[in-house]
Amino acid sequence: MRNSIGRILSPDIPLKQRLFQLLSAIALAEFIIVTIYTVLSGGNREHIVIMLSGTAMFTATVAFTSRSEKKRFGATVSGLLYFSLYPITYFASGGMYGGAPSVFAFALVYVFLVTEKWERVVSLSLCILVSGICFSTAYLHPELLDRHTVKAEHIESFLSVCLVTLLLCSLFAFVTEVYRAENRIVQKQKKEILELNLSQKRFFSSMSHEIRTPVNAIIGLNEMNLRETLAEEVRENSLNIEVASKILLQTINEIMDMSKLETGRMEIVAADYQTTAMLSDIVNMTWLRAQEKGLDFRVEADPSLPMVLHGDEVRIRQILLNVITNAIKYTKKGSVVLSLGCKKAEEGIALMTYDVKDTGIGIRQENIPFLFDAFNRVDASQTHTIEGTGLGLSIVRQLLDMMEGSVHVESVYGKGTTFHIEIPQKIVDRTMIGKVDLKRDVKNALEKPESSRKMSALQILAVDDTPMNLMVVKKLLKSTDARIDTAESGAEALKMTAQNRYDVILMDHQMPEMDGIECLHRIREQTDGLCHNSKIVCLTANVGAELEKQYLLEGFDGYLEKPVRGNTLEKELARLCLSPQLEAGASCGPE
Ligand code: ADP
């Protein structure tokens, strides 16, 4: 019994088929019970014969339907066959005075549930029509009814109510079980997807970390070569190494971002920011590249733009950097112009516009719709010699979608391209930015921090479990003449902070046994420690805007991404230590 129920309800069978088999099994059971009752109560012989032959035909049709390919047709025939026995039963069992009305209702439900689409409409309409004819005929010609005794009619009514109740309860139990089973499957799949997401996240972040660590050494040591070597050929090779390393880093970042976007882990983190500060960051990061290619790089910012906006500055910067870098990449001569404006400013929201116009290779009209597809690089004949993954614009589009922004491209093939970007941003301070002098910013960005010569008094501790990274930091800060000690583990760092006072500690995060965060807290609380108030900077290959916030919340005074440039390191030291007091001879670190 259990086995047959198990076979009928097996989850391997499609849901519709399971429902058909269950309902047919219930209907068959009902036929058998009614036939047995009719025999036992000495019912009419013809009625018994019709019931038996009907039951046999119905069983054969159901069995055939369960095996055949034409399930929909078979189910409709079974439904109609099952229903067709009821008019006879109705008249043979006293019409509405017996148990027929309630089983009539079940027969209609059966027809409704086993049929589909237009067959359902036709069959159900037909069955309701036949039911109506039976009831009205019985009303108009009561002599056609085979009336039983009052006692028998009551027993039959009661039995049929019990039967139908039982049938409906079984149906309900089935539906509930199916729902639970489906729910279990959904929960299991949800768990599997979460686990998959998590392991994908772990894979990508560890891959990024593992690649960044050696790239840090390559870029850092290569920078030393560039600084110290005069031989033309070596310098040229170093420059090529620098370009290749940057491309590698860019590719890692894009793959990380793509993975975050695809798994829904990318978040928009809004905060207040200065419009001009963001603009000058962008210019600093792109200007040199344009100049190296001999391009005229201009920035035009509407002086009436609001001074402070609220939005995800990091992601806006990423979008603009991507589009500007492309403009520089795909332009051989001429200019690249970034124009900032505000289309409308209503109810505290500014619709900021960022146009990037170049005089580069241009894009064919038919290729424009495919620009934003991931891994798509259009016009291979022109672009195959230019580095790129084809991910940048896809990331741009997805980030814009997340910020309710938009991008629109206009291009004349061979002449140039303009990317129009719009992003709504909350206005925090309406004061106008006025005329922006970005030349001054560019000059600052290019200059070596003039503070480097004031850093010789600094005492620095670099903590990293990779000796190569320590060597890179030492070499990058060589020109500052600062004293740089190194520690290859958290424990070693604690020993040194107990013996020496350091102005700045450059701390790696991922280290075996004691990681950088734990080491930071232990230095702050170290009994007899000499570095409770030292500036501690997280210098890590774990990168991401959201991570920076977490590190600062942990208590770090700064955050630097690996691979780190010499200039960036020096600037960070200057930011942390070269306060006016220090310049006057005081130290920034321990009291
Ligand atoms: P890639 O890494 O290849 O630059 P993107 O997604 O940033 O990937 O860009 C996709 C493609 O769009 C590029 O391969 C290039 O063919 C085209 N493209 C993007 N920006 C420009 C531009 N300013 N001028 C000409 N073609 C461009």
Side-chain angles (χ1 to χ4, degrees):
M1 177 77 174
R2 246 174 181 237
N3 253 355
S4 357
I5 293 178
R7 235 176 294 136
I8 290 174
L9 300 181
S10 163
D12 302 333
I13 302 172
L15 187 63
K16 186 82 196 167
Q17 174 69 9
R18 266 186 280 165
L19 184 66
F20 170 72
Q21 291 182 177
L22 176 83
L23 286 169
S24 302
I26 293 174
L28 196 63
E30 192 227 326
F31 266 158
I32 293 168
I33 293 170
V34 169
T35 313
I36 293 173
Y37 174 77
T38 315
V39 173
L40 291 180
S41 61
N44 170 322
R45 191 173 301 158
E46 291 85 37
H47 183 208
I48 295 169
V49 171
I50 292 172
M51 288 295 287
L52 284 175
S53 44
T55 308
M57 273 161 68
F58 176 72
T59 315
T61 321
V62 169
F64 170 77
T65 307
S66 302
R67 284 187 187 84
S68 111
E69 292 291 297
K70 296 188 171 173
K71 294 213 170 359
R72 208 167 117 188
F73 173 73
T76 310
V77 174
S78 311
L80 291 175
L81 193 63
Y82 176 64
F83 185 83
S84 68
L85 291 171
Y86 277 92
I88 301 154
T89 312
Y90 180 76
F91 285 99
S93 62
M96 65 171 294
Y97 303 102
S102 33
V103 280
F104 241 124
F106 179 73
L108 289 173
V109 171
Y110 178 80
V111 170
F112 174 80
L113 290 176
V114 299
T115 52
E116 282 180 65
K117 301 188 179 163
W118 65 266
E119 291 96 325
R120 172 180 281 171
V121 178
V122 173
S123 313
L124 200 63
S125 312
L126 193 73
C127 294
I128 291 174
L129 184 73
V130 171
S131 313
I133 292 172
C134 289
F135 277 82
S136 46
T137 310
Y139 172 68
L140 295 172
H141 301 282
E143 70 279 6
L144 294 176
L145 292 175
D146 184 4
R147 294 281 306 261
H148 296 180
T149 61
V150 174
K151 185 178 162 195
E153 281 172 356
H154 277 79
I155 293 172
E156 281 167 27
S157 282
F158 173 70
L159 281 180
S160 60
V161 165
C162 291
L163 213 55
V164 171
T165 308
L166 204 70
L167 303 178
L168 291 176
C169 288
S170 319
L171 190 62
F172 185 71
F174 167 73
V175 173
T176 312
E177 181 47 34
V178 167
Y179 171 76
R180 282 207 191 114
E182 299 293 322
N183 212 18
R184 277 195 295 270
I185 294 172
V186 169
Q187 292 303 331
K188 196 170 152 236
Q189 285 173 342
K190 207 168 139 189
K191 209 171 143 210
E192 281 168 5
I193 291 172
L194 279 177
E195 272 164 17
L196 202 73
N197 256 348
L198 211 68
S199 66
Q200 197 187 20
K201 181 181 166 189
R202 260 186 249 125
F203 168 74
F204 277 113
S205 56
S206 82
M207 185 191 79
S208 157
H209 184 269
E210 294 314 309
I211 297 176
R212 272 170 189 282
T213 306
V215 172
N216 181 45
I218 296 172
I219 292 187
L221 296 177
N222 192 51
E223 189 176 327
M224 290 316 299
N225 275 353
L226 278 169
R227 275 194 203 176
E228 292 174 358
T229 313
L230 291 174
E232 199 47 47
E233 199 179 337
V234 178
R235 281 188 67 78
E236 199 179 305
N237 288 344
S238 293
L239 281 171
N240 285 332
I241 293 175
E242 191 179 67
V243 172
S245 319
K246 275 187 192 163
I247 295 170
L248 182 60
L249 272 183
Q250 173 75 8
T251 310
I252 299 166
N253 289 343
E254 286 182 349
I255 291 174
M256 290 279 291
D257 280 346
M258 205 63 197
S259 126
K260 275 192 201 161
L261 282 163
E262 279 182 357
T263 50
R265 287 183 286 110
M266 179 72 87
E267 278 176 21
I268 296 298
V269 185
D272 295 351
Y273 67 91
Q274 300 272 343
T275 314
T276 43
M278 185 196 71
L279 197 57
S280 96
D281 278 354
I282 291 171
V283 174
N284 286 345
M285 289 176 186
T286 49
W287 185 86
L288 187 59
R289 205 160 166 200
Q291 202 206 31
E292 278 167 0
K293 279 190 87 175
L295 301 175
D296 176 19
F297 183 49
R298 291 197 304 278
V299 180
E300 293 162 0
D302 181 346
S304 67
L305 290 179
M307 184 90 87
V308 185
L309 294 169
H310 183 85
D312 192 334
E313 182 193 1
V314 176
R315 298 297 167 204
I316 297 177
R317 215 165 34 191
Q318 182 178 357
I319 290 170
L320 295 179
L321 279 177
N322 216 306
V323 177
I324 298 171
T325 312
N326 273 351
I328 298 172
K329 250 184 358 185
Y330 298 109
T331 303
K332 288 194 191 96
K333 60 177 191 312
S335 60
V336 171
V337 182
L338 166 67
S339 314
L340 241 75
C342 175
K343 209 164 166 185
K344 57 177 181 194
E346 283 166 6
E347 292 164 9
I349 306 277
L351 185 59
M352 296 293 291
T353 60
Y354 314 83
D355 290 351
V356 179
K357 186 173 181 184
D358 66 54
T359 55
I361 59 171
I363 305 162
R364 289 181 206 272
Q365 284 307 308
E366 64 269 26
N367 285 336
I368 291 181
F370 308 105
L371 280 185
F372 299 92
D373 294 352
F375 298 105
N376 196 18
R377 305 199 69 206
V378 299
D379 202 6
S381 64
Q382 296 271 343
T383 56
H384 74 281
T385 51
I386 304 168
E387 80 283 352
T389 55
L391 283 178
L393 287 183
S394 166
I395 294 171
V396 163
R397 161 68 62 81
Q398 294 185 63
L399 288 175
L400 281 170
D401 286 348
M402 290 177 80
M403 292 192 283
E404 291 169 14
S406 64
V407 55
H408 164 68
V409 185
E410 275 171 40
S411 188
V412 180
Y413 191 59
K415 294 246 162 71
T417 308
T418 306
F419 279 78
H420 303 278
I421 292 171
E422 292 182 3
I423 308 174
Q425 297 284 280
K426 271 192 204 145
I427 302 171
V428 178
D429 182 351
R430 278 185 182 278
T431 317
M432 295 186 209
I433 56 168
K435 205 165 158 23
V436 183
D437 178 13
L438 288 166
K439 283 206 190 81
R440 196 195 55 216
D441 290 319
V442 168
K443 199 164 144 262
N444 286 345
L446 287 177
E447 269 174 3
K448 257 196 84 51
E450 54 91 42
S451 45
S452 54
R453 62 195 153 74
K454 296 176 189 162
M455 289 185 193
S456 54
L458 292 184
Q459 308 228 8
I460 297 167
L461 173 66
V463 188
D464 200 308
D465 58 316
T466 310
M468 181 85 84
N469 285 342
L470 295 173
M471 185 172 84
V472 169
V473 169
K474 277 183 105 166
K475 290 205 168 198
L476 288 178
L477 292 177
K478 199 168 140 195
S479 62
T480 62
D481 288 331
R483 194 187 107 191
I484 303 164
D485 289 344
T486 57
E488 288 185 23
S489 66
E492 197 184 338
L494 287 175
K495 260 191 219 154
M496 300 186 74
T497 52
Q499 290 161 8
N500 306 294
R501 288 157 43 134
Y502 292 104
D503 299 293
V504 179
I505 299 173
L506 300 168
M507 179 78 73
D508 181 27
H509 175 196
Q510 280 189 24
M511 292 187 288
E513 283 158 32
M514 186 193 305
D515 71 13
I517 297 180
E518 190 185 340
C519 191
L520 159 91
H521 293 303
R522 301 222 353 213
I523 291 174
R524 297 278 189 237
E525 290 149 18
Q526 194 174 17
T527 336
D528 303 331
L530 298 171
C531 298
H532 297 151
N533 299 322
S534 298
K535 302 288 180 198
I536 307 186
V537 176
C538 190
L539 175 55
T540 173
N542 285 352
V543 300
E546 65 286 354
L547 287 178
E548 174 170 3
K549 269 195 191 145
Q550 280 172 24
Y551 286 123
L552 296 182
L553 277 175
E554 282 292 342
F556 282 105
D557 298 289
Y559 162 87
L560 292 176
E561 285 179 4
K562 281 182 200 163
V564 66
R565 316 294 310 231
N567 262 4
T568 317
L569 256 182
E570 286 179 25
K571 271 195 206 152
E572 184 66 356
L573 294 182
R575 179 183 76 83
L576 292 170
C577 295
L578 294 189
S579 59
Q581 296 97 307
L582 187 83
E583 290 191 28
S587 163
C588 73
E591 59 290 349

